[in-house]
């Protein structure tokens, strides 16, 4: 049985880092770990290659990691920084000669049907993306016989999903996780949680909140993602975090029962 592997394709907020027009220390940093595309991960799990979220940087992320096959795309919610790259699925349709399997909640599909109406048209324009949408919720589901465990969270008032793959869990764009969901987060080797800045945020965990959740989960390793330029540069942030917690960065690879696999 192969170990689960997760690659961070993007670890930035909805505007990415650097942010357009900003001259702060983080946005001007020469450290590659401070260059953050919009949040997304690639998971290799039980023979399946699964993408979580396809934001505006989807094409760039696929090219950078030389990805030529996807078994499925999971969408955490319907915000544009997590769905804005879905038109570029056309490349996979062309390569694999079939529709791409997308798993999401019903309200997310409804949003896609409005934003990408041409992809759902009865008489499609030639070359429009081909999707096969599967409705999911917080109950476990399977992709080609492989079990995925959703984690229910809240993004302000919006219901969102994180996902557990083996002993790795990925939870982005949340500021609340229901008490009963923590049962799904027991025994993790790696826990990924969003952290946008210090101090309370209306729809994301703050640094303080993310650390409190991480302590409660008790994973072997915790990685912070969806980081903004309001946090310190990578080296300074990493130095102040407690043992077992680090900022993630674009291109970082983690595996079950292991720490990081350096890529840079």
């Amino acid at each position: 049985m192969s170990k689960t592997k997760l690659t961070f394709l993007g670890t930035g907020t909805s505007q990415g880092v650097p942010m357009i027009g900003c001259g702060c220390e983080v946005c001007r940093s020469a450290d590659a770990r401070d260059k953050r595309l919009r949040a997304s991960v690639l998971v290799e799990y039980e023979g399946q290659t699964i993408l979580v979220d396809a934001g505006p940087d989807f094409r760039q992320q696929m090219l950078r990691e030389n990805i030529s096959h996807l078994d499925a795309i999971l969408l955490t919610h319907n915000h544009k920084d997590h769905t804005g790259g879905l038109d570029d699925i056309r490349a996979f349709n062309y390569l694999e000669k079939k529709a791409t399997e997308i798993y999401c909640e019903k309200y997310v599909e409804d949003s896609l049907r409005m934003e990408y109406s041409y992809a759902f048209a009865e008489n499609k324009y030639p070359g429009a993306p081909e999707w096969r949408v599967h409705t999911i919720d917080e109950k476990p589901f399977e992709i080609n016989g492989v079990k995925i465990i959703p984690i229910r969270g809240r993004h302000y008032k919006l219901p969102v999903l994180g996902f557990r793959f083996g002993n790795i869990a990925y939870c982005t764009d949340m500021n609340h996780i229901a008490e009963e969901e923590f049962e799904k987060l027991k025994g993790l080797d790696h826990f990924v949680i969003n952290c946008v800045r210090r101090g309370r945020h209306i729809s994301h965990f703050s640094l303080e909140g993310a650390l409190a959740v991480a302590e409660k989960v008790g994973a072997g390793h915790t990685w912070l993602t969806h980081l903004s330029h309001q946090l310190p540069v990578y080296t300074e942030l990493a130095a102040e975090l407690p043992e077992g917690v680090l900022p993630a960065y674009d291109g970082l690879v983690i595996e079950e029962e292991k720490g990081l696999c350096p890529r840079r």
Side-chain angles (χ1 to χ4, degrees), residues 45 50-52 72-75 101-105 134-151 161-165 184:
Y45 175 51
I50 300 169
L51 178 73
V52 181
I73 297 176
L74 311 185
L75 299 177
E101 311 293 334
I102 295 180
Y103 293 75
C104 63
E105 296 197 77
H134 306 262
T135 302
I136 60 172
D137 54 24
E138 63 270 20
K139 295 186 289 293
F141 63 97
E142 292 187 354
I143 296 175
N144 298 326
V146 174
K147 184 179 180 180
I148 312 294
I149 301 175
I151 313 298
L161 293 176
F163 300 99
R164 178 170 181 161
F165 310 89
K184 301 176 182 178

Side-chain angles (χ1 to χ4, degrees), residues 54-55 80 82-88 110-121 129 131:
K80 206 70 169 181
H82 296 261
T83 64
L86 286 172
D87 182 79
D88 283 318
D110 292 342
S111 179
L112 296 181
R113 286 182 177 274
M114 288 191 295
E115 295 184 37
Y116 295 96
S117 58
Y118 59 92
F120 294 92
W131 308 338

Side-chain angles (χ1 to χ4, degrees), residues 4-156:
T4 305
K5 182 168 75 171
L6 181 150
T7 301
F8 289 93
L9 302 176
T11 56
T13 52
S14 59
Q15 297 190 72
V17 182
M19 190 179 80
I20 293 172
C22 183
C24 75
E25 179 187 12
V26 176
C27 288
R28 289 185 291 105
S29 172
D31 189 336
R33 294 170 295 185
D34 290 318
K35 310 297 184 186
R36 302 183 183 279
L37 300 177
R38 268 62 73 91
S40 176
V41 294
L42 186 78
V43 180
E44 295 167 75
Y45 175 51
E46 299 292 341
Q48 303 299 300
T49 301
I50 300 169
L51 178 73
V52 181
D53 289 334
D57 303 314
F58 172 77
R59 178 179 179 276
Q60 183 179 352
Q61 291 163 342
M62 296 298 99
L63 290 171
R64 186 190 71 203
E65 299 297 329
N66 196 30
I67 297 167
S68 59
H69 168 75
L70 293 174
D71 288 293
I73 297 176
L74 311 185
L75 299 177
T76 58
H77 62 299
N78 65 338
H79 286 169
K80 206 70 169 181
D81 56 319
H82 296 261
T83 64
L86 286 172
D87 182 79
D88 283 318
I89 283 176
R90 292 178 296 133
F92 289 100
N93 299 152
Y94 176 78
L95 288 171
E96 302 190 329
K97 311 300 182 196
K98 64 179 182 179
T100 297
E101 311 293 334
I102 295 180
Y103 293 75
C104 63
E105 296 197 77
K106 180 61 168 61
Y107 83 88
V108 178
E109 179 183 350
D110 292 342
S111 179
L112 296 181
R113 286 182 177 274
M114 288 191 295
E115 295 184 37
Y116 295 96
S117 58
Y118 59 92
F120 294 92
E122 185 174 345
N123 298 308
K124 287 187 180 181
Y125 187 86
E130 297 283 343
W131 308 338
R132 185 178 295 110
V133 181
H134 306 262
T135 302
I136 60 172
D137 54 24
E138 63 270 20
K139 295 186 289 293
F141 63 97
E142 292 187 354
I143 296 175
N144 298 326
V146 174
K147 184 179 180 180
I148 312 294
I149 301 175
I151 313 298
R152 169 64 73 202
R154 194 172 66 235
H155 185 35
Y156 185 43

Side-chain angles (χ1 to χ4, degrees), residues 196-215:
V196 71
R197 69 184 189 198
R198 303 185 201 276
R200 186 179 180 276
H201 189 278
I202 193 171
S203 59
H204 290 274
F205 283 118
S206 65
L207 177 59
E208 300 83 358
L211 292 177
V213 172
E215 183 176 8

